[in-house]
Amino acid sequence: ADDDGSRHGAGRYSRRMTSAEYTHWSHDCYAVDSENLRSYGRATRSPHVPYSDSRVVPEHTAVPPLIVADPVFKVAARMLADLIDDFSVGRLLHVSQSVRQLEPIRVGDVVSLGARIADRVTRAGIDLFTVDCVVQVGDEVRIETSSVVAYAGGEDGAADLVTDASHGVVMHDAVL
């Protein structure tokens, strides 16, 4: 590690962000419990989630970092809704996401999310947003994410591209 705690070659996460750099905070917004873990296991159908069938998961069991994907998406969508007039989640398309787990979150943890829009680029009438998010338990950063989402708005034909591309996609629990 460098003097500032960063690592060479870590890509997007070459420097740890501070809490003050996130413009949106949702404190104690997601509790990791057995039911959330079971739901995640069923939704992902992952053979690597053996506890998806168990009714009781021991307290402090480490959970997959993507269990926070749903609350992270909801925070990002709320931020974009505040930024974009006549926002419609139907015009939003998740393009990519990177996740870095610094320390596992565990059953029994209550997490807070910090988020910020790190970049916005418009190409061919489609806005590409980079949304950075940090997941904390107490004051300890556990997970860092960076997502790129496309939003097609406006009156031209570009808005239909995202709508057409997302046809048939079901987003469970995507209540804004």
Side-chain angles (χ1 to χ4, degrees), residues 12-90:
R12 175 150 196 83
Y13 303 108
S14 61
R15 179 180 75 78
R16 298 277 305 273
M17 291 182 63
T18 64
S19 295
E21 292 179 88
Y22 291 93
T23 57
H24 176 84
W25 276 95
S26 295
H27 295 282
D28 297 336
C29 64
Y30 184 75
V32 181
D33 60 22
S34 295
E35 186 53 38
N36 291 342
L37 186 55
R38 290 176 58 234
S39 294
Y40 173 84
R42 287 190 304 268
T44 60
R45 295 186 182 109
S46 172
H48 305 293
V49 187
Y51 35 76
S52 64
D53 293 329
S54 176
R55 288 235 177 255
V56 178
V57 179
E59 195 80 8
H60 307 296
T61 298
V63 301
L66 285 178
I67 197 169
V68 297
D70 183 57
V72 165
F73 176 79
K74 288 177 183 177
V75 167
R78 281 189 202 110
M79 290 178 68
L80 295 177
D82 290 343
L83 185 66
I84 300 169
D85 292 333
D86 299 321
F87 177 81
S88 168
V89 74

Side-chain angles (χ1 to χ4, degrees), residues 112-126:
S112 298
L113 300 175
R116 73 180 187 122
I117 296 175
D119 195 21
R120 180 181 186 175
V121 177
T122 302
R123 293 203 173 106
I126 297 177

Side-chain angles (χ1 to χ4, degrees), residues 27-32 105-112 135-138:
H27 295 282
D28 297 336
C29 64
Y30 184 75
V32 181
I105 56 176
R106 300 177 180 284
V107 171
D109 286 343
V110 177
V111 304
S112 298
V135 178
Q136 289 187 187
V137 175

Side-chain angles (χ1 to χ4, degrees), residues 133-145:
C133 191
V134 64
V135 178
Q136 289 187 187
V137 175
D139 291 331
E140 183 183 0
V141 174
R142 299 287 183 90
I143 298 171
E144 297 173 336
T145 71

